[in-house]
């Protein structure tokens, strides 16, 4: 029996780098032994030596190993330590991260380092404004994003502002959008056969079905329009001398001029707390006129803040 001749070290190093590049770019970071041998122009014995060498590599900073598993005729790269090149988020994930980084009160150098490391190059610009609140993406952004990318029909457990308890909806998810200080899922409600918008932080559970999502005629719609279809509407009166800076949240709402010079707004309410906070922070520039039961809840909310 002829002994196996060890592969030269320089060939192992070059082939090891090429193998990591091959696995980095391969679907699920897996390739067959035959594919790897052909791509790297190696014999089966040389490929085995290369795999053994790469398996001993580790990150000197974290100690993480470039784990390579060989089974069922395939070579698989496990974990991120052996990936060649910077790990990048996809566009949907990057939308969330860029929005969050732009609004957090952190130094510019930390914000830029995070963006350089994770965001797709040339795809997104960080928001420069720290005004407003941070949109709430809830706990189920990732499965929803994957369902949108893969075209999968979902069931979501959702509670609207008017409901006392959450209920299940069957939907075809379309996209995720951010507006002011909230994030929404734009989808087609299968049971109602209509377009709907769901606040991500009100989604309690997500289940992927075995069905594919169907194409629907989705139109551009602001969150206020969607809420107006099924949510409560409050009447807010603006003072004559109010400034735009005090009431940036009222932009886009229909304005009705009153005889005394004040402005009347009809505000769709997805969250009473959201509206209460803005009225209380307006310094008297905005006053809740109706409905009466909401005014009572506003007074109770204001009293609870002063305790």
């Amino acid at each position: 029996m002829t002994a196996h001749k060890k592969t030269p070290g320089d060939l192992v190093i070059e082939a090891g780098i090429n193998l990591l590049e091959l696995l980095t770019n391969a679907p699920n970071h897996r390739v067959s032994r035959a594919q790897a041998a052909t791509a790297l122009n190696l014999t089966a014995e040389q490929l085995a030596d290369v795999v053994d060498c790469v398996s001993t590599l580790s990150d000197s900073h974290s100690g993480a190993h470039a784990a390579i598993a060989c089974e069922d005729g395939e070579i698989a790269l496990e974990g991120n330590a052996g990936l060649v090149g910077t790990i990048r988020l996809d566009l949907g994930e990057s939308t969330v991260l860029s929005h969050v980084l732009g609004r957090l009160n952190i130094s510019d150098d930390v914000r830029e380092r995070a963006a350089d490391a994770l965001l797709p190059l040339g795809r997104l610009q960080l928001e420069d404004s720290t005004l407003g609140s941070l949109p709430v993406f809830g706990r189920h952004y990732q499965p929803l994003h994957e369902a949108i990318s893969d075209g999968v029909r979902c069931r979501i457990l959702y509670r609207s502002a008017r409901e006392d308890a959450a209920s299940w909806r069957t939907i075809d998810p379309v996209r995720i959008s951010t507006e002011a200080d909230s994030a929404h899922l734009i989808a087609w409600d299968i049971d109602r056969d209509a377009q709907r918008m769901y606040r991500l932080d009100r989604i309690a559970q997500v289940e992927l079905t075995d069905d594919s999502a169907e194409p629907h005629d989705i139109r551009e719609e602001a969150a206020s329009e969607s809420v107006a279809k099924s949510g409560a509407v409050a009447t807010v009166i603006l003072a004559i001398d109010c400034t735009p800076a005090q009431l940036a949240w009222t932009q886009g709402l229909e304005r009705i001029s009153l005889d005394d010079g004040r402005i009347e707004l009809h505000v769709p309410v997805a969250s009473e707390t959201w509206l209460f906070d803005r009225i209380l922070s307006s310094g008297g520039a905005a006053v809740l006129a109706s409905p009466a039961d909401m005014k009572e809840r506003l007074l109770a909310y204001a009293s609870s803040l002063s305790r």
Side-chain angles (χ1 to χ4, degrees), residues 62-249:
S62 66
H65 284 269
I68 289 187
C70 298
E71 55 184 20
D72 299 328
E74 285 190 324
I75 304 173
L77 182 62
E78 300 176 347
N80 295 330
L83 294 179
V84 177
T86 305
I87 300 171
R88 297 280 174 185
L89 303 180
D90 63 27
L91 186 58
E93 296 164 335
S94 300
T95 300
V96 175
L97 181 61
S98 65
H99 199 85
V100 170
L101 288 176
R103 291 179 178 271
L104 289 178
N105 185 24
I106 57 178
S107 63
D108 290 340
D109 60 330
V110 173
R111 184 181 295 112
E112 292 299 330
R113 286 205 307 274
D116 289 342
L118 295 172
L119 299 185
L121 297 176
R123 298 295 294 275
L124 293 168
Q125 295 292 326
L126 289 180
E127 296 181 28
D128 195 28
S129 173
T130 56
L131 297 176
S133 302
L134 187 67
V136 180
F137 291 92
R139 299 181 178 181
H140 304 287
Y141 171 85
Q142 190 62 36
L144 289 170
H145 171 64
E146 292 174 358
I148 292 170
S149 300
D150 297 338
V152 177
R153 181 167 291 178
C154 306
R155 295 180 71 242
I156 60 172
L157 186 60
Y158 184 79
R159 183 181 67 82
S160 70
R162 297 195 309 167
E163 294 177 323
D164 295 328
S167 60
W168 286 98
R169 275 88 158 165
T170 302
I171 61 165
D172 285 343
V174 177
R175 63 178 176 272
I176 291 173
S177 68
T178 57
E179 183 175 312
D181 56 358
S182 59
H184 297 84
L185 169 67
I186 300 171
W188 193 267
D189 188 303
I190 301 302
D191 296 326
R192 293 178 174 83
D193 194 26
Q195 176 178 336
R196 289 292 184 266
M197 184 179 285
Y198 306 97
R199 277 182 53 140
L200 293 194
D201 58 342
R202 290 185 177 275
I203 298 176
Q205 193 172 337
V206 175
E207 291 182 355
L208 305 183
T209 72
D210 295 329
D211 299 326
S212 297
E214 298 178 359
H216 300 280
D217 184 16
I218 299 293
R219 70 179 185 87
E220 292 295 328
E221 183 178 69
S224 57
E225 293 181 73
S226 179
V227 172
K229 293 178 180 177
S230 57
V233 176
T235 300
V236 175
I237 305 298
L238 306 184
I240 298 175
D241 57 351
C242 65
T243 65
Q246 288 175 300
L247 301 167
W249 57 274

